[in-house]
């Protein structure tokens, strides 16, 4: 595999924005992301500049990791957020212990199945463990079978925690986690 796995740099916000917009056009984007393409496309560049700076190499609270192809093209990404014990997460639940939270997982369809998602997850876990987290979690839509299967193969198991999906209270997001080895 001739791909480089690395954290983004703050000045790469335009590439981060472009890949986010591609991800939001994926056929399962409605199951995988809590944002629509139209909402993301309407955001000002300053939003992406701030988001990239906050998750760039050297940032403390988050890290966006990419898979970069042989010609420098970005073909995959995910972001790890640090959640501190005692804080409240995006869904309103109290965080009980220091943990990582993987979000915004995406690999371009033309390179799926060659192991990029696995190495992105390895890099994400390594980064999170290096910050002293006790576990890493993610939230996945109950109907996103492809993602749930992959996360299970990567060692993530359902925790029993579910989150109603905003305005669609009849749909659930399922928490999956892996404990620190």
């Amino acid at each position: 595999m001739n791909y480089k796995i690395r954290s983004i740099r703050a000045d790469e916000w335009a590439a981060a924005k472009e890949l986010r917009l591609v991800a939001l056009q994926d056929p399962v984007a409605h199951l995988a992301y809590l944002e629509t393409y139209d909402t993301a496309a309407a955001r000002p560049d300053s939003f992406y500049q701030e988001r990239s700076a906050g998750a760039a190499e050297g940032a403390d609270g988050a890290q966006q990791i990419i898979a970069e192809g042989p010609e420098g093209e970005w073909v995959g990404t995910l972001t790890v957020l640090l959640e501190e014990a005692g804080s409240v997460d995006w869904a309103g639940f109290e965080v009980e212990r220091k943990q990582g939270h993987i979000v915004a997982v995406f690999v371009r369809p033309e390179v799926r199945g060659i192991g990029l998602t696995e190495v992105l997850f390895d890099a994400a876990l390594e980064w999170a463990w290096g910050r002293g987290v006790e576990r890493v979690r993610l939230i996945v839509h109950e109907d996103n079978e492809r993602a749930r299967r992959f996360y299970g193969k990567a060692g993530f198991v359902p925790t029993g925690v579910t989150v109603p999906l905003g305005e669609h209270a009849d749909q659930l997001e399922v928490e999956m986690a892996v404990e620190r080895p």
Side-chain angles (χ1 to χ4, degrees):
M1 186 170 21
N2 195 16
Y3 294 88
K4 182 178 181 181
I5 306 301
R6 66 174 180 84
S7 296
I8 68 166
R9 295 183 300 273
D11 65 351
E12 294 177 311
W13 65 269
K17 174 183 177 181
E18 186 270 333
L19 191 57
R20 176 69 173 180
L21 294 176
V22 169
L24 290 169
Q25 295 175 71
D26 191 84
V28 297
H30 67 287
L31 296 178
Y33 306 105
L34 297 177
E35 178 178 48
T36 65
Y37 174 86
D38 290 339
T39 300
R43 293 188 187 276
D45 287 346
S46 60
F47 172 84
Y48 292 97
Q49 291 164 350
E50 290 172 23
R51 182 183 221 171
S52 293
E57 185 175 47
D60 291 328
Q63 200 73 179
Q64 183 176 357
I65 301 168
I66 59 157
E68 185 176 34
E71 305 300 319
E73 71 280 14
W74 290 16
V75 297
T77 186
L78 58 70
T79 299
V80 186
L81 310 173
L82 289 184
E83 298 174 327
E84 295 294 335
S87 66
V88 176
D89 73 7
W90 65 275
F93 296 121
E94 184 172 336
V95 176
E96 296 177 3
R97 54 190 168 153
K98 186 174 183 177
Q99 62 190 11
H101 186 161
I102 295 177
V103 299
V105 178
F106 178 72
V107 173
R108 290 181 187 265
E110 62 271 21
V111 294
R112 290 182 185 155
I114 65 169
L116 288 176
T117 310
E118 288 87 345
V119 293
L120 283 167
F121 265 71
D122 288 347
L125 291 172
E126 181 179 328
W127 184 84
W129 301 144
R131 269 112 199 114
V133 304
E134 296 180 34
R135 75 176 190 147
V136 175
R137 71 176 182 149
L138 51 82
I139 308 291
V140 60
H141 192 284
E142 63 184 342
D143 294 336
N144 193 342
E145 287 300 321
R146 182 183 76 202
R148 290 179 68 182
R149 274 193 311 274
F150 170 78
Y151 300 148
K153 288 179 186 174
F156 287 76
V157 296
T159 65
V161 173
T162 59
V163 181
L165 187 59
E167 61 197 43
H168 304 286
D170 59 327
Q171 298 179 31
L172 295 176
E173 298 273 350
V174 176
E175 181 186 67
M176 298 178 75
V178 62
E179 299 291 325
R180 184 181 184 100

